[in-house]
Amino acid sequence: MSVYRTHVLLPVDEGTAQAGVFEVKRRLEKELKARKLQDEIKVLESGSVGIVGKGVILAVYPDRMYYFNVSEDDVVRIIEEHLLKGRVVAGLNHAPIAAATAATAAKKDAKVGLTREQRRVVLDKAWTVDPESIDEVIAAGGYKGLEKIFTEKITPEAVIEEIKNSGLRGRGGAGFPTGMKWEFTRKASGTEKYVICNADEGEPGTFKDRLILEGDPHRLIEAMTIAAYAIGAGRGFIYIRGEYELSIERLRKAIAQANEYGLLGKNILESGFSFMLEIRKGAGAYVCGEETALIESLEGKRGNPRVKPPYPVTNGLWQKPTAVNNVETLANIPAIISNGAGWFRKIGTDKCPGTKVFTILGHVEYPGLVETEMGTPLREIIFGYGGGIKGGKKFKAALLGGAAGVFLPEKLLDVKMDYESLKENKAVLGSGAVLVMDEGTSIVDMLFSIAKFFAHESCGQCVPCRVGTHQILDIIYRVRQGRGREGDLETMLGLAEAMFRSSLCPLGQSLVMPVKSALENFKEEFTLAISHAEKP
Amino acid sequence: MKRDKILKQYEASGDNLLAILHDIQDASAEHYLDDASLRAAADYLKLPYSFVYGVASFYTMYSLEPRGKNLIRICQSPPCHLLGASTISRELMRLLGIGFGATTPDKLFTLEMTSCLGVCGVAPAMMVNGRVYGNLTRERIGGIIEDLRRVK
Amino acid sequence: MSEMVTINIDGRDIQAAKGENLLKVARDNGFDIPGLCFYEKITPTGDCRLCMVKIEGRPGMVASCLVKVEAGMKVTAFDAQLEETRKMLADVLLSEHNDDCITCERDGDCQIQDLAFRYGLDTPKRTFASIWKEIPQAPDSTAPVLFYDSSKCIKCERCVKSCFEIQGKGVLSMAQRGIHSHVVAGTGQWSGSECDGCGECVQACPVGALMEKPVYGGKLKKKDVQRKVVTTCPYCGVGCQLELWIKDEKIAKVKGFDSVPNFGACCVKGRFGLDFVQSPDRLTKPLVRKEGKLVESTWDEALDLVARKLGAIKKEHGPAALAGLSSAKCTNEENFVFQKFVRAAFGSNNVDHCARLCHASTVAGLARSFGSGAMTNSIAELENAEVILVTGSNTTETHPVIATRIKKAVLFHGAKLIVIDPRRIDLVNYAEKYGGLWLRQKNGSDVAWANGMMNVIITEKLLAEEFVKTRTEDFDALKKVVSNFTPEKVEKITGIPAAQLQAAAHLYAKAACASIVYSMGITQHTTGTDNVMSMANLAMLTGNLGKESAGVNPLRGQNNVQGACDMGALPNVFPGYQAVTDAALREKFEKAWNVKLDDKVGLTVVEIMHQAAAGKIKGLYIMGENPMVSDPDLGHVKQALEKLDFLVVQDIFLTETAQLADVVLPATSFAEKQGTFTNTERRSLWVEKAVPAPGEARIDWEVIRDVSTRMGYRMEYNSLEDIVNEVNKLVPQYAGITYARLMRGDKLQWPCPNPEHPGTKFLHRDKFTRGLGKFFAIDYIPPAEWPDEKYPFLLSTGRLLYHYHTGSMSRRTVALPQYVPGPFMEMHAADMKRLGIASGEQVKVSSRRGSIVTEARESGRVDTGSVFITFHFAEAAANLLTNDAFDPIAKIPEFKVAACQIEKINP
Ligand SMILES: Nc1nc2c(c(=O)[nH]1)N[C@H]1C(S)=C(S)[C@@H](COP(=O)(O)OP(=O)(O)OC[C@H]3O[C@@H](n4cnc5c(=O)[nH]c(N)nc54)[C@H](O)[C@@H]3O)O[C@H]1N2
Ligand SMILES: Nc1nc2c(c(=O)[nH]1)N[C@H]1C(S)=C(S)[C@@H](COP(=O)(O)OP(=O)(O)OC[C@H]3O[C@@H](n4cnc5c(=O)[nH]c(N)nc54)[C@H](O)[C@@H]3O)O[C@H]1N2
Ligand SMILES: Cc1cc2nc3c(=O)[nH]c(=O)nc-3n(C[C@H](O)[C@H](O)[C@H](O)COP(=O)(O)O)c2cc1C
Ligand code: SF4
Ligand code: SF4
Ligand code: SF4
Ligand code: SF4
Ligand code: SF4
Ligand code: FES
Ligand code: FES
Ligand SMILES: [Mo]
C-alpha cells in the first residue's frame, strides 16, 4: 500500500448519492489524474458522516476540513486552492460551498451543529476510511480486537467477563446488559448456537444503525465474530431491513473480504475457530425488529413475535440458544476488547457507560446524527448538536425513542440521556431518536400519526393489539377531526393501559407510552379539541 | 425458467423463503408475486401454499398484485408526518389521480404508504424503486413525477 | 404419571400434575376463566389474552393457557383488574366481530356469544364502536364442504393449528397482518389448496367463522338438534367414532367423537360423506325379477322365493352348488349369522367375502409366520415408533386418520419415515422432508427389496441376534436365500438404487422400535402371501415384534373386514380362525349349532366366480358386496353371474351386481342398526342406531335369520344380544367382549379371553401365537403379467381419498363427487407427450381382458411406463382390465399389476 499525502473522503449515503456524490468523485479523479496527483492524493468513498440535507459532502484529511453542497463545478477550485495550496476555499465563491468546518475542531470553534466535537466510539472510523477496503480498515485499527483475542489466547469466558465488566447495555431499546445475554447463551445447553445482529432498524426516526453499517461494516463483522467466539456459535446472521440496499451491498463486500482475509469463515486467524456469517433481508415489517419476530422471520415465517419466556438465549433460532444484539451494541465490542472494559467505563455514566448515537429530527436546524456520551443532557443534544429550533421558533415537545416513545415537555429538557435518568422521568431512551416539535405542532395530530403507525405495524396475533390499536386510532382520528366525545380520552387511556397489561409482545404494550405522556403533558390540547368538537 | 434459476440458487430450506420471494419479485416486471410464483416457491421449499401466501402477504415489500413501473412508497411515520408527509401524500394522489395501494391506468405508477424508511434525516421522504427522495416539498413533487414520466 | 403438586388459586389449594396446563387445571377445578384460543388438542397459542391471571412472583398478568403448573404457584384468577381487563378485551374483540346471531348457525353454540353474554356486552353497552365493516373481508366459500366468513373470525388460529397439529397437514395459515389478518388456504382460495376436506378446522372453530356447508340438507342450529348419536364410521377400517347430530330423524351434521381410536379426528368421508344414508336411491322394498324385470314385492313373497329357489338347488345339485358372499360392511353379528347360514342351511363352506380381494394374503401369510393374521399393534402406538416403514399403503388417502399418527410421529416426535411405493404418494413428502427415504420399486418386486434389506442387515450384522435365537425358527434357510439378494442384484430387479436400499436397511435396522405398515401394494399380488411373509421376516430379523410401537401392521381396509374374518366369513375356518378341517373344532360347532357341518374347505370369491361360470355353482347369495365392479376381470364375472340359476343380492342400493339379481333385498345401513365393527387394530366398536330405516328395509341379520329358518335351518335370535352371547361362547378371541361391556362403552382389542380381560394392545409379547416365529425362505417371482410390446404400459389400480370402492356409497353423497366427479387415469407427463395425449383428454385403455374409455390426467405420482386407475367408477371399470391370476395360497387376485395399452380416441 502506497502512502498518500492527502485523503479526500466522499461520504456516500442515500442523501449524498442523490445529490450527486458519484459525479463529483468521477470529476475529482479525472482532474487529479490530469494533474498527475493520483499517487499523492487518494479519493475514497466513505460511510455516511451523519450529516443530512447538506448535499454532497467532501472531507479532506488530515486537514479535517468539510465542504458541504459540493458540486462538480467546485472540484477544480478545491484541488487548486485546498489540495495544492492548502487554503480553505472559503471566500472565493460563497454560494455553492456553504461551509467548511473542521470535523473535530475544538468546542470553542463550533458550538452548535453536528460538526461540533462528538465522542465517537462506534462511528470512530465511519467517515475516515473507505468502508469497502478491508486494507484501509485494518490499517486504521480494524480487527484489532479479534486479533487480540487470538494472539493473547483470551478464553470465551474471559471475553464475556470483559464485556460484563464494561457495563455495556443493549442499544436496541431495552438496555439489557450485553455480557449477561452472552453468558446466558453460552451457558444454555446445546452445541448449536447462533448470533444474530438485529439490523432491522424500523423505529421511526432512527437511522443510526444504517450509518454504522454503511460506514464501517467491518466493525460489525469483527464484533459478531467475537460474539460468536464468546458464546460458542458457529453461524451468525445479520437480519437487515430490505430497504437498506447500500448497507446490504457494503456488508456483502465486507463479508467477502473478511472471508478472503481469514478473518471470517473457517479457522479464523489459524485459531481453529470457525464462524459463518450470512445476511438475511427483511421485507417490511417493523415488528420484525422485535427479537423473537425477527427470529421467526429469519426462519422464513411470518413475523409474529413469540411468547416469552422462553427467551432466545435458550430457545432462539430453530429453538437453539441465540444471542440477538443490535448493530450499535455490537459496534462497541471491538473497542471494548481492544481498549479494555476500564477504558469503556470512563465514557458515559456509571450505570450506562459508553456513548449513544442519537438521531436528531424534526423542527431543528441541523437534523442528523451524533454520537455522544451517555448522560448528555437532552438540551445539549437539541440545542447544541441540533442547532436549536428551526426558524427561531419555540420548543414544544420532544418525542424520545421513536414511535414507541414518550412526549417530553419543556420542563424536562435538562434530563440526562441515559437509561436510568430517563426512567426516573417516566421516559425511555429507546433507539435514541429525538424528534423535536416546535410550538406550532399539534400533539393530537402527532399522536394520531403514532396510532396509525402502530395499527399499521401490529402483527395482528393478539386481540388487544390487533383491535386495540385500531380503536385508539379510531378515537384519536375522531378527536383530531373535531368529532371527539366526552369520555374519549379516558377510554383511550384505559384501553392503552389494558393493552399494556395484556398484549402478547412489547409492541402492543408500548402504545401506552406516547398516549399516556401526551395526555399527561399536553392534556389541554386534547380537552380543547373535544370541547370544541361540533356537538350533534 | 428464470424463476427456476432463482430457486436453484437457494438451498431448499424454509428459511430462504423471504430471499426467494425478494428475488422473484425483483425479477418481475410488474414488481409483484404472481400465483404461479408463490406455488413454485412453495413446491420448491415443500411448504404449504397457504404458508407461502401467509408470509408473502405479511410483509409490505411484497405485493400480490401487479404494480406500476415506478413504485412510490411514501413514508407516513411520525417524523415524516411532522414535516408534512400528509401534504406530500395528498399532492401525490392529486398528481397521479390515484389513492394509496392503487396503480395508475397507464401502469406507470403505484402509490403505497410505508412506515419509516430509515432516512428520516431528510424527512419527509419517499422511495421510488429503491431510490430515496428526501426533503420533499409540495413544489418538488411535481418535478420528480415529471422526471419519472420522462424516463422511458 | 407426573408428580402431583399443590398450587393455590384464589385462596383454594389444588392438587395438580406438575407441568399441566394452568388454564386447564383451573377450569377443571371450577374456575371459569374465559379464553377463546385455548383448545386442548393443540399447543396453546395465547393470543386472545382473555385467560390472563396473576401469578405471585411474576410481573403483571400472564396468559394462564401458556403457563405450566409448578409447585407452590399462587394464582389470582379473578380480581377487579383482571375482570376489567377481560371485559375490555371482550368489548374490543366484539367490535371486530360481525355478530349477526339471528341467522348464524352457531347461535347458541358459540364461544364469543357466551363471552359477550357473560360480560353483559349488549350492543348499547359496548364501549367500542363496531369496526368490522371498515375492514376489507376475505370470505371463502370455494371448498366443497366448508366456508369461511372472515367477518366472524376471531383469529384464534385454532383452525390453523388443528389442521397442522391434529391432522398433520398444515393447509391453513394466517394471511395479511394486523386488523387485516385472516385465515387462508392455498394461495388465497380454498379450492386451490391442499385441503382435503377433513373438517378438523371446522370442528376446532369456537365461533361461526368456519362452518360446514349444508351437505346434509339445510342450515342447522344446535337447539334444533333432536339428539346426538355416537357410532362407528361405515367407510374404512380405522373405525372412527363419529357423533351424528340428528334433526327431523335425519343426519344433519357429523362431528368426530373424542375417544379411541380417532380422538375426535376424522376424514372427509366420515364427516361429509354419510348422506348416502338418506339418498333417494336407497332400496326400500324387496324386488323380485318378473319377466326379466325387477319389480317391488312383499317381504313374504321375496323371502319365500329365496328359500324355495335355494332349497331346490340344494336338493337338486347338493350343498356344493350354493355359495354366499358375506360383507365386510356389515356388523360382526351379521357376519356371524351369515356364515352360520351358509354352513348350516346351505351345508357347505362356500362362504367368503371381500377380504379375499384384500388381505387374504395377510391372513394366510401372518398366520404362517406368527400364528395370527392381524395388526400386531394398535394405531396409537404408531406415533411413538422411531422408524415407520410404509409400503403399499397410500395411508393418507385410504386410512386418513391412521396417517395423522404417522405424520405426527414424523412432524413432532422425530420419527423417520421410509416409504417404499412405486407411486409418489403424499407420505413421500413427509419422508423426504424430514430425513426419511422414498424407495421407488417396480410393481411386484417387494420380495426382492425385502430380501435385499435383509441381506444388508445380515451382512452388516445389524440383526437382532438374541431375538432371532430365542424367538424364531428356520433362520438358516432364510439366510441362505437372502444371501443371493445383494443390493446390486436387487437394484436390477426392483430399480431401487443399491445405496438407497442400504440406507433404508440401516435406518430400519438401527431403530429401537420400527413399525412396518402395509396394505394392498403388498397383498394384491400373485405373490401376496410371499410378500406378507417377507414383511414378517424383516420384522423378526430385527426383533421388531412383541413390543410397543414396533411390529407388522397390515391396515385392514373395510370398516369391518377384520370382524368379518374373525367371524368366520371365510371358506377354511369357523369363527375365530378355527379350521373347518379340524375334527374336534368341527364337532364343537356342530354341537353348538346342532347341525352336521361340511369338513371340506369351501370356495373363495374368485373360485366361486369360476365355478359359477363353469355351471357348478348355481345359487349365490350376496350380502353387501358389489363384485360386478370390485372383482377382477369383470367380463368374466358378468358371465358367471348371468349363468347362475338364482342370485340374491341384499344391499342398501341397487348396485351393478343387484341389477343382475333374481331377488334384491333392501337392507338397513349402519345408521339404522346396532352391532359391532372390529377395526383394523382388532378393536370391537359399537354401532348405534341413529335414524329409522327407509321404507321396509330390514336389518341384515334378521333377514338372514328368516331366510335360514324358511330354508329349514331354524335360527332363534330375538335380539342382537343373543348373537353376541353366542359369539362370546364360540370365538375365544371374543370371549370377553360381552354385551354388557359393549353397552358400558368398552372398546376392547382382541384377544380378550374373558370378561375381566382388558384386551390386548399388541400381540406376541412373550411368545408368538404359534410359539416360535417362523422364517420363510422366499425367492423372488415376477408378476403374472408384465408389459410387453402389445401392452406396453403397466397398469396398477387402487383408491382415492374421496371415493370408496365401487362408489355405491361415496358417489351418492353431495360433497364427495365435487372433489372427484368421475373416472380418470394417472399418467406421466413424458408418456403423454410421447403419445400426444393432452391432460383431460379421453383415451381408450385396453388389456388382454377388456377395454375402457377414461380421461387421461397428467400426474406427478406415477412413473413413466405406468398408469394408475381407480376402481371406483363402474362406467370406466378398472376391473374390466385387471388380471384374475391369483396367489396360490391366499387366492388373492393380482389387482396391482397388469399390462395395458393406451390409445388416443381422436387421433
Ligand atoms: N378412500 C378410501 N379409503 C379406503 C378404501 C376406499 O375405497 N377408499 N378402501 C378400503 C379398503 S377395503 C382397503 S383394502 C384399503 C386399501 O388401502 P391401500 O392399500 O392403501 O390402497 P391402494 O390404493 O389399493 O394401494 C396402496 C398402495 O400400493 C401401492 N402399490 C402398487 N403396486 C405396488 C407394489 O407392487 N408394491 C408395493 N409395495 N406397493 C404397491 C400403490 O401405489 C398405492 O400407493 O383402503 C381402505 N380405505
Ligand atoms: N381393481 C381393483 N379392484 C379391487 C381392489 C383394488 O385394489 N383394485 N380392491 C379390492 C378390495 S381390497 C376390496 S375390499 C373390494 C371391495 O369390494 P366390495 O366389498 O364389493 O365393494 P363395496 O363397494 O365396498 O361393496 C359393499 C357393498 O355393500 C353395500 N352395503 C353397505 N352397507 C351395507 C349394509 O349395512 N348392509 C348391506 N347388506 N349392504 C351394505 C354397499 O352398498 C356396497 O354395494 O374391492 C376389491 N377390488
Ligand atoms: C416492536 C419492537 C421493535 C424493535 N425493533 C428493533 C430494531 O429495529 N432494532 C433493534 O436492534 N432492536 C429492536 N427491538 C428490540 C429487540 O427486541 C431486542 O431487544 C434487541 O435487538 C436486543 O439487542 P440489544 O440487547 O443489543 O439491544 C425492537 C423491539 C420491539 C418490541
Ligand atoms: S402485541 Fe401486537 S405485535 Fe405483539 S404479538 Fe400482539 S398483535 Fe402482534
Ligand atoms: S359467531 Fe357467534 S356471536 Fe358471531 S354471529 Fe355467530 S353466533 Fe353470533
Ligand atoms: S378441512 Fe381439514 S385439510 Fe382442509 S383446511 Fe380444514 S383441517 Fe385442513
Ligand atoms: S376461523 Fe375460527 S378457528 Fe380459525 S381463526 Fe377464525 S375463529 Fe379461530
Ligand atoms: S378415516 Fe376411515 S373410519 Fe375414519 S372417518 Fe375416514 S373413512 Fe371413516
Ligand atoms: S420517519 Fe419517514 S423515513 Fe423515518
Ligand atoms: S385462552 Fe389463553 S390466551 Fe386465549
Ligand atoms: Mo379391502
Side-chain angles (χ1 to χ4, degrees), chain C residues 146 163 167 169 171-172 190 194-202:
Chain C
L146 54 84
C163 185
Q167 287 279 340
K169 294 173 192 156
V171 168
L172 301 180
W190 230 284
E194 311 91 325
C195 168
D196 65 12
C198 69
E200 194 72 53
C201 52
V202 176

Side-chain angles (χ1 to χ4, degrees), chain C residues 97-101 104 106-107 110 112-113 152 207-208:
Chain C
H97 184 85
N98 166 17
D99 57 330
D100 79 14
C101 307
C104 184
R106 288 298 292 262
D107 179 28
C110 170
I112 190 175
Q113 196 183 50
K152 291 181 183 170
V207 299

Side-chain angles (χ1 to χ4, degrees), chain A residues 287 303-305 457-466 469 503-509:
Chain A
V287 71
N304 286 341
E457 296 301 336
S458 162
C459 84
Q461 232 187 149
C462 70
V463 173
C465 170
R466 179 180 72 238
T469 51
S503 286
L504 190 152
C505 91
L507 190 147
Q509 290 163 5

Side-chain angles (χ1 to χ4, degrees), chain C residues 580-869:
Chain C
V580 296
T581 48
D582 183 316
L585 292 172
R586 203 167 52 243
E587 201 177 316
K588 162 174 150 187
F589 281 94
E590 287 179 339
K591 232 166 101 188
W593 294 344
N594 193 23
V595 68
K596 181 89 189 121
L597 292 171
D598 187 5
D599 61 356
K600 290 182 300 298
V601 170
L603 298 175
T604 61
V605 170
V606 183
E607 289 167 333
I608 290 171
M609 293 304 166
H610 279 280
Q611 299 276 22
K616 289 189 184 139
I617 293 280
K618 304 214 176 272
L620 180 59
Y621 198 123
I622 302 178
M623 169 176 82
E625 296 229 321
N626 192 7
M628 263 306 292
V629 183
S630 60
D631 275 14
D633 192 1
L634 286 183
H636 189 254
V637 173
K638 185 150 189 254
Q639 280 173 17
L641 295 181
E642 283 172 349
K643 185 113 200 249
L644 288 169
D645 286 354
F646 195 68
L647 173 64
V648 187
V649 173
Q650 182 169 313
D651 205 296
I652 58 173
F653 293 110
L654 190 65
T655 61
E656 293 73 7
T657 308
Q659 285 166 27
L660 300 178
D662 298 290
V663 175
V664 178
L665 302 174
T668 53
S669 76
F670 83 106
E672 297 134 8
K673 63 187 171 195
Q674 290 184 323
T676 56
F677 294 156
T678 300
N679 77 349
T680 181
E681 56 175 348
R682 301 170 272 107
R683 194 184 296 278
S684 193
L685 299 162
W686 186 250
V687 179
E688 181 56 55
K689 179 174 166 152
V691 292
E696 298 174 17
R698 292 185 64 198
I699 294 174
D700 287 287
W701 67 260
E702 291 182 7
V703 177
I704 301 298
R705 172 196 65 188
D706 292 355
V707 175
S708 182
T709 302
R710 284 174 201 237
M711 273 184 77
Y713 179 74
R714 196 171 175 76
M715 288 195 186
E716 312 232 26
Y717 303 115
N718 292 315
S719 69
L720 189 79
E721 191 176 356
D722 292 347
I723 309 171
V724 175
N725 289 344
E726 188 171 326
V727 170
N728 293 156
K729 261 189 244 126
L730 293 175
V731 186
Q733 295 91 328
Y734 283 72
I737 308 180
T738 61
Y739 194 75
R741 290 180 87 179
L742 289 168
M743 285 294 97
R744 207 169 67 199
D746 286 5
K747 298 178 172 59
L748 298 158
Q749 285 174 285
W750 68 252
C752 179
N754 59 63
E756 284 71 46
H757 195 278
T760 306
K761 187 166 156 186
F762 57 90
L763 303 178
H764 319 304
R765 183 192 284 268
D766 300 313
K767 74 188 230 317
F768 284 95
T769 312
R770 73 181 288 279
L772 287 178
K774 186 170 164 72
F775 282 111
F776 284 86
I778 301 164
D779 222 325
Y780 165 70
I781 304 169
E785 189 178 73
W786 196 251
D788 52 23
E789 258 169 41
K790 180 118 201 289
Y791 296 98
F793 281 93
L794 186 143
L795 165 72
S796 196
T797 63
R799 298 157 169 77
L800 292 176
L801 171 67
Y802 301 104
H803 283 292
Y804 201 80
H805 290 165
T806 65
S808 56
M809 291 148 67
S810 59
R811 296 188 76 187
R812 288 189 172 89
T813 64
V814 167
L816 301 174
Q818 291 183 53
Y819 286 98
V820 182
F824 66 92
M825 171 178 75
E826 293 181 359
M827 198 170 177
H828 194 279
D831 289 332
M832 299 187 72
K833 208 168 152 198
R834 194 162 47 78
L835 299 187
I837 300 168
S839 199
E841 202 174 316
Q842 297 287 314
V843 292
K844 184 171 167 196
V845 189
S846 319
S847 76
R848 292 194 168 79
R849 293 152 294 276
S851 60
I852 60 169
V853 171
T854 189
E855 174 192 324
R857 209 178 275 178
E858 185 181 319
S859 159
R861 291 178 152 202
V862 290
D863 208 348
T864 48
S866 298
V867 294
F868 176 83
I869 305 181

Side-chain angles (χ1 to χ4, degrees), chain C residues 386-450:
Chain C
E386 261 179 38
V387 166
I388 305 175
L389 190 163
V390 178
T391 182
S393 159
N394 183 9
T395 328
T396 55
E397 298 202 54
T398 56
H399 295 88
V401 171
I402 293 181
T404 65
R405 293 280 180 181
I406 297 175
K407 289 188 266 185
K408 285 195 277 186
V410 171
L411 292 171
F412 310 120
H413 307 297
K416 298 283 173 280
L417 182 59
I418 305 173
V419 175
I420 309 185
D421 198 297
R423 285 197 308 149
R424 180 177 247 291
I425 53 173
D426 277 357
L427 281 182
V428 171
N429 294 331
Y430 292 78
E432 287 184 341
K433 198 171 159 195
Y434 298 93
L437 289 163
W438 174 37
L439 275 48
R440 180 175 227 171
Q441 81 277 42
K442 289 190 190 130
N443 297 55
S445 65
D446 298 278
V447 167
W449 65 254

Side-chain angles (χ1 to χ4, degrees), chain C residues 357-598:
Chain C
L357 313 174
C358 184
H359 273 291
S361 34
T362 293
V363 176
L366 294 188
R368 294 168 138 223
S369 298
F370 303 153
S372 67
M375 260 177 91
T376 57
N377 301 65
S378 38
I379 295 169
E381 288 170 57
L382 279 172
E383 201 167 326
N384 299 315
E386 261 179 38
V387 166
I388 305 175
L389 190 163
V390 178
T391 182
S393 159
N394 183 9
T395 328
T396 55
E397 298 202 54
T398 56
H399 295 88
V401 171
I402 293 181
T404 65
R405 293 280 180 181
I406 297 175
K407 289 188 266 185
K408 285 195 277 186
V410 171
L411 292 171
F412 310 120
H413 307 297
K416 298 283 173 280
L417 182 59
I418 305 173
V419 175
I420 309 185
D421 198 297
R423 285 197 308 149
R424 180 177 247 291
I425 53 173
D426 277 357
L427 281 182
V428 171
N429 294 331
Y430 292 78
E432 287 184 341
K433 198 171 159 195
Y434 298 93
L437 289 163
W438 174 37
L439 275 48
R440 180 175 227 171
Q441 81 277 42
K442 289 190 190 130
N443 297 55
S445 65
D446 298 278
V447 167
W449 65 254
N451 281 350
M453 271 175 73
M454 290 189 273
N455 176 296
V456 175
I457 290 167
I458 294 172
T459 315
E460 300 189 20
K461 302 213 159 31
L462 297 171
L463 70 167
E465 287 189 44
E466 185 61 24
F467 187 92
V468 169
K469 212 183 296 161
T470 57
R471 304 251 345 235
T472 68
E473 59 188 354
D474 292 351
F475 172 64
D476 291 337
L478 175 85
K479 191 169 167 183
K480 195 155 159 251
V481 159
V482 155
S483 67
N484 295 325
F485 286 81
T486 60
E488 294 68 30
K489 180 176 166 188
V490 171
E491 176 167 344
K492 288 209 186 78
I493 302 173
T494 63
I496 298 169
Q500 271 187 26
L501 186 82
Q502 280 160 334
H506 295 163
L507 197 55
Y508 176 77
K510 287 178 183 165
C513 55
S515 187
I516 297 176
V517 169
Y518 75 82
S519 200
M520 296 303 97
I522 287 296
T523 61
Q524 287 174 334
H525 291 280
T526 44
T527 56
T529 309
D530 284 353
N531 292 349
V532 168
M533 293 191 296
S534 295
M535 297 304 109
N537 285 344
L538 189 52
M540 286 191 288
L541 186 64
T542 50
N544 275 310
L545 280 162
K547 58 184 180 189
E548 206 159 324
S549 299
V552 178
N553 292 297
L555 304 184
R556 306 301 304 260
Q558 291 266 35
N559 56 324
N560 195 33
V561 66
Q562 182 65 55
C565 292
D566 299 345
M567 293 302 122
L570 296 169
N572 58 334
V573 288
F574 294 125
Y577 307 98
Q578 310 183 67
V580 296
T581 48
D582 183 316
L585 292 172
R586 203 167 52 243
E587 201 177 316
K588 162 174 150 187
F589 281 94
E590 287 179 339
K591 232 166 101 188
W593 294 344
N594 193 23
V595 68
K596 181 89 189 121
L597 292 171
D598 187 5

